[in-house]
Amino acid sequence: GEDVVAAAAELVARTGLGGVHLGGYSFGAMMVVRAAAVVAPARVVLVAPPLAFGGLEGLAQRPCSKLFIAGDRTPVGGGQRVS
């Protein structure tokens, strides 16, 4: 999560743009969930987040667009329904 926060901060510092979009695959998806608590992204895309290692509760209160892409046969998917 800290690396994602640092990268987002650097992007904003270099470009002056706000509304950072964050995306991640598997482990990277969970790092995005952690970073979203600090960065306040405009959009979040999570592909195959390993839900067995942590939930998506950190995104529940974030007023941003969210897209979750997950299968139901991954061993670390956790089997939870994402809605």
Side-chain angles (χ1 to χ4, degrees):
E2 292 176 12
D3 289 343
V4 178
V5 171
E10 184 66 20
L11 176 67
V12 170
R14 287 185 184 206
T15 66
L17 299 174
V20 174
H21 300 194
L22 299 176
Y25 170 76
S26 193
F27 177 77
M30 295 316 293
M31 295 302 98
V32 166
V33 170
R34 290 182 182 175
V38 177
V39 174
R43 289 188 177 88
V44 169
V45 177
L46 306 180
V47 179
L51 299 176
F53 299 109
L56 303 175
E57 294 82 17
L59 290 176
Q61 302 303 318
R62 282 288 171 208
C64 63
S65 298
K66 302 169 187 90
L67 174 62
F68 306 136
I69 303 168
D72 61 358
R73 296 184 184 182
T74 176
V76 294
Q80 295 98 335
R81 179 174 169 79
V82 176
S83 55

